[in-house]
Amino acid sequence: MRFQQSCRMAVWLVIAPLLLGGCSILREFGPVVEVHTLDAGEAIELKRGDILTRGKLSDATTQTIRVAALDAQACAKPISADCVEALAAVTGVAADRRLAALSELWLAQAQAMKPGSEQQAAWLETIRYAYAYLFFGDHTPGERAFEDRQTQVRDWYNYAVERAATGMFEVRQQMSTQLPAQTRWNIAGWELQLDMRSARLPGSTAVPAELLPASSLSFRGLRSLYRRDGFGAELVAVMPDEPLTSAPTRDGHPAAKRNQQPLPWSEMPAPSMTILLHPDGDDLDSVLHTRTVRLTVHDPYVESAIMLRGQRVPLAANFTAGYGLWLARANFNRQSLRSLLGREGGIDRPHVYLMQPYDPNRRIIVMLHGLASSPEAWVELANEILGDEALRQHYQIWQVYYPTNMPIALNHAMIRRALGDTLAHFDPSGQAPASSDLVLVGHSMGGVIARLMVSSTDQSLVQLAADRSRLTPQQIKRIDPMLRFEPFPHVGRAIFIAAPHRGTSVAGGRLGRWMAGFIRFPVTVLEELAHTLAPNAAASSHESLGHIPNSVDNLDENDPFVRAAADFPISAQVNYHSIVAQADPEVALVDSDDGLVPYRSAHLPGAQSEKIIISGHSVQQSAAAVLEIQRILREDIALREAHFMQP
């Protein structure tokens, strides 16, 4: 018996390794498939995590590699050319799975490479396979509309286009060659066809100074970032600087006196654009073997979608990045203070900034900031309008940046001229929709100037100048156009925000007088004014002009100018609205103020609406004021559409 047991044990010891080696069930002594419970975060990360978001291949790509009988660990290495070649040659895997995985593998390779031609080639391969998946795979983009995998592949395409385009731009900058609107050149073994026919760069500039990915820009000081999901790389083209100051020439005379005065307008110095790269080919095989790619540039304000391979494809866009970058780099806060004090480095005349390339079919919103301020005053309002799809389709924003130390009458005259010259440049015939029904939005002193622009005057200012100055009748006659005016043509609506139409006691108080004492006018302005009054006098005749009231003087509630201007009639053709700030809600409205401007000064009889907002004087930055202005603009759109629908 003991012998038999020993024999059985020996036999078992011989056959057990064979059984355990050939049967995984016996080897593991457990089930083939195990299940684990994931929380919501783990489940979403498993579905959507990829090489861009977590630094390793997506779960779907890893599964495709396994199904293709490839080594998943080897393929997960940053640079694995053998894995890419092997997966590309596999025929037993569905095209969608294979193309998506190849796009991510090439992206992983590109990220691991140093900048140069090899990396550029890897970006282009990423684009090739993503493009092939999106438009030549087993399904159309519309059929995959709700698939996470398509969103991943689109993101890989967009990112690779962003990196490839900025890399190509850097190469172009190093070459220092001017590229025409449509040309061809070679890069990383590919032939690039550059098509910029849809691009709209400011002015006559052919090439920007910088090309920045919008995704790399983060902003503080903005409540919202507005963009549109879609196809393509979101980029910002930074244009060369154009100084607004009239710098002296070598002989010491201001440039303005030598006919070198800058233009009174400029288009957005950092416009947003969307770039696409299209591998050549009309079918999957030709796309997978082409070495030609076409780069197209699109204006997101003009094109929201394009037709591509029979599909209507929404274009990606970023409407905040260019605007935010411009404000961040402009140093308006310092320059506006220098302008107020009349110091070097400030500005001495108004300048009109177009927040996007001029569009003849969008109506214009003109924004006028207040005392000691700049376009930074409109950071929230402008961003919200740019980000509002309905408003963006109907309006374009022009911001007037002006020296706030000047007498209000002089600033008003110069702003009128700057706006008129800008409109005449972009629409010489005056027939474009953009030139009709302008909307003026003015805050504080900008609101006073906006009111003058929609008002008509009589002899009162001329008589005031004769009574209060040492000017001769001939000199007063020369400045008569500044003192006698009619409403600026084609303004349909105006919004006055915390505007001291009847002045404020603060300007005439101790603080106001102290502040006014620091204000100086630039020599260029004094010389131009002296030349206007006495064309044949010497250049130094400005010293005999005597005291000229500055902007703070004009805002004193007892100043004759502001008292006269408050009674000028507003054009019957203009619909106007008031937004009034009330600092203390416990104070009766009629006795209240915003810390600077009393209600009785900001209130305008006859306004279509008057919105009271609990806020300090900088109410234009509040969310409540922005919402009110958006309401007014939407109402304006609805009224115009109803008017045009009438028989």
Side-chain angles (χ1 to χ4, degrees):
M1 178 67 100
R2 185 174 298 173
F3 176 77
Q4 291 177 342
Q5 291 176 342
S6 299
C7 288
R8 291 193 189 100
M9 181 64 69
V11 171
W12 175 250
L13 292 174
V14 171
I15 66 173
L18 299 177
L19 292 173
L20 292 173
C23 181
S24 62
I25 295 178
L26 293 176
R27 182 175 68 245
E28 299 294 342
F29 291 100
V32 175
V33 177
E34 295 182 359
V35 62
H36 300 280
T37 302
L38 303 176
D39 61 31
E42 292 171 329
I44 292 175
E45 196 277 337
L46 188 65
K47 289 191 299 180
R48 300 179 185 174
D50 60 18
I51 193 66
L52 290 180
T53 61
R54 63 181 183 179
K56 60 181 182 179
L57 297 177
S58 64
D59 190 61
T61 293
T62 302
Q63 291 177 29
T64 301
I65 291 169
R66 290 171 180 161
V67 170
L70 301 176
D71 186 342
Q73 289 185 342
C75 289
K77 295 180 180 179
I79 299 179
S80 180
D82 293 340
C83 179
V84 171
E85 292 178 5
L87 184 58
V90 169
T91 58
V93 178
D96 272 5
R97 295 191 67 176
R98 184 167 53 88
L99 295 172
L102 284 165
S103 180
E104 188 174 16
L105 287 170
W106 274 111
L107 179 58
Q109 288 199 36
Q111 287 184 309
M113 292 177 175
K114 294 181 179 180
S117 60
E118 290 187 2
Q119 187 187 51
Q120 281 291 88
W123 293 130
L124 291 171
E125 291 294 348
T126 304
I127 292 165
R128 178 206 299 277
Y129 285 103
Y131 193 88
Y133 165 89
L134 292 169
F135 300 106
F136 297 97
D138 297 323
H139 302 87
T140 67
E143 291 171 334
R144 303 193 208 96
F146 293 100
E147 293 185 10
D148 291 328
R149 192 58 165 170
Q150 176 161 274
T151 301
Q152 286 181 322
V153 177
R154 183 207 64 191
D155 288 344
W156 302 336
Y157 171 89
N158 290 354
Y159 181 73
V161 170
E162 174 188 293
R163 304 312 302 172
T166 53
M168 293 173 188
F169 177 79
E170 291 173 1
V171 171
R172 180 244 164 257
Q173 292 292 78
Q174 294 171 1
M175 293 171 59
S176 298
T177 56
Q178 294 291 330
L179 296 179
Q182 188 171 1
T183 188
R184 295 171 182 249
W185 54 310
N186 294 318
I187 185 167
W190 287 67
E191 181 182 282
L192 173 69
Q193 301 175 356
L194 184 62
D195 185 350
M196 296 186 65
R197 289 175 296 181
S198 298
R200 298 202 307 164
L201 296 178
S204 58
T205 307
V207 179
E210 296 178 81
L211 191 62
L212 302 177
S215 63
S216 68
L217 303 175
S218 177
F219 300 99
R220 287 185 300 174
L222 286 167
R223 280 195 287 264
S224 301
L225 176 69
Y226 288 102
R227 54 177 304 280
R228 180 174 61 215
D229 281 332
F231 192 56
E234 305 159 28
L235 299 171
V236 178
V238 183
M239 313 313 295
D241 289 335
E242 293 184 6
L244 301 186
T245 54
S246 298
T249 57
R250 289 184 179 179
D251 60 8
H253 289 88
K257 302 292 287 183
R258 298 170 61 98
N259 297 321
Q260 296 177 5
Q261 180 180 324
L263 291 172
W265 53 267
S266 59
E267 295 178 275
M268 167 52 70
S272 298
M273 59 175 55
T274 303
I275 290 182
L276 306 181
L277 280 166
H278 313 257
D280 195 20
D282 295 323
D283 54 41
L284 179 59
D285 186 65
S286 61
V287 168
L288 294 182
H289 292 89
T290 188
R291 305 294 292 179
T292 302
V293 63
R294 183 167 56 95
L295 186 151
T296 59
V297 183
H298 304 267
D299 182 348
Y301 288 96
V302 175
E303 296 178 281
S304 60
I306 60 170
M307 292 302 297
L308 194 57
R309 306 298 176 186
Q311 305 286 322
R312 187 178 184 276
V313 180
L315 286 177
N318 193 308
F319 300 104
T320 297
Y323 176 59
L325 182 66
W326 171 61
L327 284 177
R329 291 185 172 185
N331 289 321
F332 282 130
N333 56 337
R334 296 181 180 179
Q335 191 178 52
S336 61
L337 182 59
R338 292 192 185 104
S339 299
L340 176 65
L341 301 177
R343 300 297 187 260
E344 184 179 356
I347 61 172
D348 58 12
R349 63 198 68 248
H351 190 85
V352 182
Y353 278 111
L354 283 63
M355 294 294 98
Q356 66 188 75
Y358 173 75
D359 189 330
N361 296 312
R362 285 179 169 90
R363 293 169 58 204
I364 298 168
I365 301 174
V366 178
M367 297 182 178
L368 296 160
H369 60 76
L371 182 69
S373 190
S374 70
E376 288 184 328
W378 305 114
V379 55
E380 297 295 352
L381 176 60
N383 187 45
E384 293 296 324
I385 294 175
L386 293 172
D388 188 305
E389 184 176 359
L391 298 181
R392 189 173 63 241
Q393 290 177 353
H394 289 85
Y395 296 106
Q396 57 190 315
I397 299 173
W398 291 11
Q399 294 192 10
V400 179
Y401 181 34
Y402 65 97
T404 60
N405 57 347
M406 304 296 183
I408 291 177
L410 179 58
N411 255 329
H412 169 237
M414 291 195 297
I415 289 171
R416 275 181 175 250
R417 184 165 61 247
L419 281 173
D421 290 347
T422 306
L423 287 167
H425 170 82
F426 288 103
D427 183 22
S429 68
Q431 300 301 310
S435 296
S436 62
D437 284 334
L438 278 67
V439 178
L440 298 183
V441 182
H443 171 248
S444 190
M445 188 170 73
V448 175
I449 295 174
R451 188 188 187 287
L452 292 176
M453 292 191 67
V454 296
S455 303
S456 55
T457 185
D458 47 24
Q459 281 288 113
S460 57
L461 292 184
V462 176
Q463 188 62 47
L464 182 63
D467 294 341
R468 294 190 42 141
S469 70
R470 295 177 295 177
L471 301 179
T472 66
Q474 291 79 9
Q475 290 174 325
I476 291 178
K477 184 177 180 180
R478 292 191 184 101
I479 64 172
D480 185 84
M482 185 191 307
L483 304 177
R484 199 197 323 257
F485 46 83
E486 294 296 327
F488 191 80
H490 311 306
V491 176
R493 196 169 294 271
I495 305 173
F496 308 117
I497 308 172
H501 299 292
R502 297 186 178 278
T504 170
S505 61
V506 176
R510 178 177 300 176
L511 177 62
R513 292 195 303 271
W514 177 82
M515 182 178 176
F518 287 96
I519 294 177
R520 299 291 184 272
F521 299 134
V523 174
T524 52
V525 173
L526 293 173
E527 289 189 350
E528 287 188 37
L529 184 56
H531 181 73
T532 300
L533 296 174
N536 299 320
S540 61
S541 62
H542 66 271
E543 297 176 359
S544 63
L545 291 176
H547 174 71
I548 302 174
N550 56 47
S551 54
V552 176
D553 294 329
N554 285 158
L555 292 176
D556 182 356
E557 62 182 1
N558 295 313
D559 182 72
F561 171 82
V562 76
R563 295 178 66 178
D567 294 326
F568 294 159
I570 297 177
S571 170
Q573 306 302 314
V574 175
N575 298 303
Y576 58 95
H577 308 258
S578 292
I579 295 177
V580 180
Q582 184 179 9
D584 187 352
E586 301 300 322
V587 177
L589 180 61
V590 293
D591 299 321
S592 68
D593 58 47
D594 59 19
L596 291 176
V597 178
Y599 172 79
R600 65 179 182 276
S601 183
H603 171 72
L604 274 181
Q608 283 206 336
S609 66
E610 182 179 84
K611 178 72 172 180
I612 308 299
I613 297 175
I614 305 303
S615 168
H617 185 61
S618 296
V619 63
Q620 86 286 354
Q621 298 179 2
S622 70
V626 171
L627 288 172
E628 173 65 5
I629 294 169
Q630 289 177 302
R631 180 197 69 79
I632 293 169
L633 294 175
R634 291 193 186 97
E635 181 181 274
D636 188 54
I637 293 171
L639 290 172
R640 281 177 57 84
E641 290 178 345
H643 173 75
F644 285 116
M645 290 179 63
Q646 292 179 353

